[in-house]
Amino acid sequence: VQLQACGGGLVQAGGSLRLSCAASGPIFSINDMGWYRQAPGKQREVVAIVTIGGSADYLDSVKGRFIISRDNAKNTVYLQMNNLKTEDTAVYYCNAAIRRWDTRFTNDYWGQGTQVTVSS
């Protein structure tokens, strides 16, 4: 199973970016999907989580600015980031709780990370 993230880049403060992350491989089911970020010198933190049913939860500092969504048919999770701030600069990682066809267990999988840089 692989998660492939894309959509990062350089944007000015107040701008927008959309991240996407597609899961591929022998996938039986996907539970929660989410986005995390890690800024230099800081610990990785959760940004947003979306359940299989579409319920979402957000880091307080991004509420009202970021929107997480998923397309279950495409095994893809998205993060629409609006009104970006310099403090949003980080490497963003996607995460998914996936059950493979060859096991009854669910494991966490991570994407490779995509850099988001917000300039002032």
Side-chain angles (χ1 to χ4, degrees):
V1 172
Q2 290 185 331
L3 270 63
Q4 182 68 42
C6 61
L10 173 64
V11 64
Q12 286 190 330
S16 298
L17 283 174
R18 187 187 193 218
L19 307 182
S20 63
C21 176
S24 61
I27 297 170
F28 177 79
S29 63
I30 303 178
N31 294 332
D32 291 355
M33 303 184 82
W35 290 94
Y36 292 69
R37 68 186 182 188
Q38 187 166 19
K42 295 187 177 182
Q43 290 189 331
R44 188 175 297 189
E45 61 181 357
V46 60
V47 176
I49 300 288
V50 60
T51 69
I52 189 171
S55 296
D57 201 1
Y58 298 90
L59 180 69
D60 284 347
S61 62
V62 308
K63 285 181 180 178
R65 301 188 296 120
F66 290 11
I67 301 172
I68 189 171
S69 61
R70 63 191 284 173
D71 184 330
N72 292 329
K74 295 181 179 179
N75 292 335
T76 299
V77 61
Y78 305 95
L79 186 68
Q80 177 67 43
M81 304 184 292
N82 301 319
N83 190 21
L84 282 159
K85 302 177 179 181
T86 55
E87 52 263 42
D88 295 319
T89 295
V91 177
Y92 284 70
Y93 298 89
C94 57
N95 170 272
I98 296 175
R99 178 185 168 186
R100 297 167 51 109
W101 282 101
D102 56 356
T103 178
R104 66 180 185 275
F105 299 108
T106 297
N107 292 294
D108 268 349
Y109 291 86
W110 292 89
Q112 81 281 14
T114 184
Q115 177 70 46
V116 171
T117 303
V118 184
S119 64
S120 58

